[in-house]
Amino acid sequence: MGNDRADLDRTLPIIDRKFPRMSAVTVAPVRDRLLEAIRREFMPLRFGAEMLARAAKKTPRAARNWLSDKNAPDAEALIELMASSENLRNEVLMLVAERQHARGADTCPGSKSGCDAGLFG
């Protein structure tokens, strides 16, 4: 008799831990565009990986992984990069605007400010 958990783990799909619960179709273009924007900003620089690491408050190894397309930055690093680079901030905002346009009028239920007092009280 084998280890049932090991068999189960082999059958489950591997999910990218940076973008959990999203389909690969949705994540790949966003990830690729984000990493491309990071490369455009930092690859031409002589010490680009070190400067990227400093801007994101992460290790140079993490920055080299981003530049080589092995990993993508986590949310905290992305916010730091957006704060330090106007080009990266504009690219992310463009991605958000494209996503909003694709959704049309659909918004999250909690995004409306104020509420109808008759519903809750």
Side-chain angles (χ1 to χ4, degrees):
M1 196 147 145
N3 184 348
D4 293 333
R5 183 176 174 111
D7 292 338
L8 179 65
D9 287 344
R10 277 189 291 244
T11 61
L12 294 175
I14 297 173
I15 298 173
D16 184 13
R17 56 189 185 110
K18 301 293 183 201
F19 298 99
R21 296 190 191 120
M22 294 180 75
S23 70
V25 174
T26 303
V27 173
V30 172
R31 181 180 185 275
D32 292 345
R33 284 182 56 185
L34 176 63
L35 291 175
E36 181 57 36
I38 291 171
R39 280 192 295 274
R40 273 195 316 265
E41 187 77 16
F42 290 96
M43 280 293 263
L45 304 174
R46 183 172 179 168
F47 297 104
E50 288 78 8
M51 294 174 78
L52 174 58
R54 200 172 310 125
K57 298 183 179 176
K58 296 292 181 179
T59 64
R61 181 177 180 173
R64 285 191 299 272
N65 285 338
W66 301 337
L67 292 173
S68 66
D69 202 22
K70 290 181 181 176
N71 292 328
D74 59 12
E76 184 179 338
L78 181 58
I79 298 296
E80 290 293 336
L81 289 172
M82 289 174 64
S84 67
S85 170
E86 187 173 339
N87 291 333
L88 288 173
R89 181 174 49 249
N90 290 339
E91 183 70 26
V92 171
L93 292 176
M94 191 180 327
L95 287 167
V96 170
E98 288 173 8
R99 191 63 58 94
Q100 286 175 332
H101 180 71
R103 288 182 180 178
D106 294 342
T107 58
C108 293
S111 66
K112 295 180 182 176
S113 61
C115 67
D116 186 21
L119 294 175
F120 300 106

